[in-house]
Amino acid sequence: MVMSGDKPGPRTTAGGDAVAPAPSGAPMSLRERKKQLTYQAVSDAAIALFLERGFDKVSVAEIAAAADISKPTLFRYFPAKEDLALHRFADHEDESARVVAGRAEGESPLDALRRHYLDGLERRDPVTGLCDVPQVLAFHRLLYGTPSLVARLHGYQSRSEAALARVLGDTAADRLAAGQIIAVLRILSLENWQRISEGRSADQVYGDAVEAAEQGFVQLRSGLEG
């Protein structure tokens, strides 16, 4: 298990093939950019309808019509209706893995993840739950209030664990560590959202959120690096 400042070997894909890290700021091809824009446009159209009427009351056909595409085309981009809402999490699925892989020389994985999470709290990153922007709150209410979305979200979190485990070294111990880390991050973010959903502002919750995060990483460190 790699929890010290030593880095593992080359990053791998889900299939186990070694890949070189993408250069920072590498330009995206026109085709890939168009594909990403389509993903975003369709997801935005779907979320607007979900927020207006509720997830279960909106059909895939209505979403396709709103996005001006056919149902078969929609399903090529989004295999399941739930993915239309959870597309906003797609960029964050391997975020912890990327943070660990890109950490500074001599910095431990836990130190890198702690630094990144605290930075997210300071920036009021919606992924940390510490964001009181009305549109973000509405989306979180939709997400946590829809059982099928919550269930689908667990799949994203499982893939986050797998990606982090691969970067750590992919031994049984690394998979256990990744599961603990992702669980702590999930609980911290959920608790932040719950406090804000009760009517407190992000600024009011910030101090408690930092304290809880520090405590969470102390517990991780004592268990994983002790």
Side-chain angles (χ1 to χ4, degrees), residues 139-188:
F139 175 74
H140 281 163
R141 282 193 293 268
L142 169 73
L143 171 61
Y144 295 120
T146 308
S148 61
L149 291 178
V150 173
R152 193 76 172 186
L153 183 59
H154 286 309
Y156 278 70
Q157 291 165 343
S158 294
R159 290 191 290 275
S160 293
E161 290 179 19
L164 179 56
R166 287 194 296 272
V167 171
L168 293 175
D170 215 17
T171 66
D174 294 319
R175 290 189 285 276
L176 287 170
Q180 293 175 64
I181 291 167
I182 296 301
V184 166
L185 295 176
R186 175 182 61 81
I187 292 168
L188 288 172

Side-chain angles (χ1 to χ4, degrees), residues 10-12 17-23:
R11 184 167 55 89
T12 60
D17 299 322
V19 294

Side-chain angles (χ1 to χ4, degrees), residues 6-206:
D6 297 328
K7 294 190 179 184
R11 184 167 55 89
T12 60
T13 65
D17 299 322
V19 294
S24 178
M28 186 182 294
S29 70
L30 179 60
R31 179 180 178 183
E32 189 63 26
R33 178 171 172 77
K34 287 182 176 179
K35 188 176 180 180
Q36 289 298 323
L37 289 173
T38 301
Y39 269 114
Q40 192 64 51
V42 176
S43 177
D44 287 348
I47 290 172
L49 289 171
F50 295 154
L51 292 176
E52 180 183 351
R53 291 162 47 198
F55 180 82
D56 295 323
K57 294 183 179 179
V58 178
S59 70
V60 172
E62 290 174 299
I63 297 167
D68 198 26
I69 59 174
S70 67
K71 279 180 62 176
T73 298
L74 185 148
F75 281 123
R76 283 202 296 271
Y77 284 95
F78 298 95
K81 180 181 174 184
E82 289 79 8
D83 293 327
L84 288 157
L86 294 176
H87 174 64
R88 292 186 177 184
F89 286 87
D91 288 343
H92 300 283
E93 191 171 292
D94 64 346
E95 184 169 330
S96 292
R98 285 186 278 112
V99 168
V100 170
R103 70 190 187 277
E105 196 68 37
E107 185 178 34
S108 75
L110 281 182
D111 284 342
L113 290 166
R114 171 187 170 275
R115 170 179 50 77
H116 181 76
Y117 191 79
L118 291 176
D119 179 65
L121 291 177
E122 188 173 354
R123 292 184 288 105
R124 307 298 191 260
D125 188 333
V127 172
T128 68
L130 191 69
C131 184
D132 53 12
V133 174
Q135 297 93 322
V136 173
L137 287 176
F139 175 74
H140 281 163
R141 282 193 293 268
L142 169 73
L143 171 61
Y144 295 120
T146 308
S148 61
L149 291 178
V150 173
R152 193 76 172 186
L153 183 59
H154 286 309
Y156 278 70
Q157 291 165 343
S158 294
R159 290 191 290 275
S160 293
E161 290 179 19
L164 179 56
R166 287 194 296 272
V167 171
L168 293 175
D170 215 17
T171 66
D174 294 319
R175 290 189 285 276
L176 287 170
Q180 293 175 64
I181 291 167
I182 296 301
V184 166
L185 295 176
R186 175 182 61 81
I187 292 168
L188 288 172
S189 298
L190 182 58
E191 296 234 345
N192 292 337
W193 174 78
Q194 287 174 333
R195 291 188 185 105
I196 289 178
S197 70
E198 292 167 357
R200 299 173 65 186
S201 70
D203 288 345
Q204 290 171 330
V205 175
Y206 177 70

